[in-house]
Amino acid sequence: MSADCPAEATSTKSYKDHVDSGAAYIVDGKITKTFSDIEDGVSHIYGLSAIYGDAESETTEEEYTAIIEAKILTVDEYAPGTSTWVTGTYQGTLAEKVGLYVNEEKVYSVPLAQAEPGHFKYYKKGLLATDVVKVYISDKDDKELDQADVPIKQEEKLEE
């Protein structure tokens, strides 16, 4: 979590569910704190504040529910000759990258941050109806968390 830090601040504090959670850090004009010891699916209110001598600023708070299990929820159909993106949805707070396997060959991963939260998109044009494509999500260290088949629209055959 991070919040703006006034230049006059001399130190910072963090809170979890309104209980003092120790010091936070000032980095590049922001108060930052990485909270650990989180539980899957449990909501908590996290807060950060700045200290000026003996006074403390108002606490910036954010409610957050951790979803640790990473899972691909949906994968949109890719249409050869028309589509340029492999897209879909996922859940999981550890997921940070998305990548592809095309005909069992791994294609590099890209940050999930390029799409809206809970969605992924991977630029890939030129896939064919005969290609076998899988999409995967991974953590920041490229450890795969889940993968799913990419449905590719098959060419419609004209009846004779």
Side-chain angles (χ1 to χ4, degrees):
M1 177 177 183
S2 69
D4 290 332
C5 182
E8 308 81 38
T10 55
S11 62
T12 58
K13 274 183 138 176
S14 64
Y15 297 90
K16 180 177 177 183
D17 298 324
H18 308 288
V19 176
D20 188 339
S21 189
Y25 305 96
I26 301 172
V27 178
D28 296 329
K30 297 265 188 198
I31 304 169
T32 64
K33 172 78 174 190
T34 300
F35 291 89
S36 57
D37 196 26
I38 58 175
E39 305 127 47
D40 194 19
V42 177
S43 294
H44 292 284
I45 297 173
Y46 297 94
L48 298 171
S49 66
I51 311 278
Y52 311 85
D54 293 338
E56 184 173 351
S57 72
E58 185 175 321
T59 303
T60 300
E61 293 184 328
E62 182 177 317
E63 184 171 356
Y64 186 73
T65 303
I67 302 173
I68 297 171
E69 180 189 12
K71 183 171 180 67
I72 294 173
L73 302 174
T74 64
V75 183
D76 301 322
E77 184 178 66
Y78 184 96
T82 304
S83 298
T84 55
W85 293 91
V86 173
T87 58
T89 60
Y90 75 96
Q91 71 175 20
T93 53
L94 297 179
E96 293 196 22
K97 296 180 180 182
V98 60
L100 298 177
Y101 285 98
V102 178
N103 299 322
E104 298 183 15
E105 187 174 319
K106 191 172 189 174
V107 183
Y108 67 91
S109 61
V110 297
L112 283 166
Q114 67 181 344
E116 294 177 44
H119 292 78
F120 63 82
K121 64 180 187 176
Y122 191 101
Y123 182 78
K124 185 68 177 164
K125 65 179 186 175
L127 293 175
L128 305 173
T130 56
D131 288 331
V132 176
V133 183
K134 292 186 180 287
V135 63
Y136 68 88
I137 53 175
S138 64
D139 67 9
K140 64 180 175 18
D141 298 318
D142 287 318
K143 178 184 171 213
E144 283 188 37
L145 304 170
D146 194 22
Q147 67 173 245
D149 293 327
V150 175
I152 298 181
K153 184 175 184 173
Q154 299 299 309
E155 293 180 22
E156 295 179 11
K157 296 184 179 181
L158 298 174
E159 297 202 18
E160 295 181 24

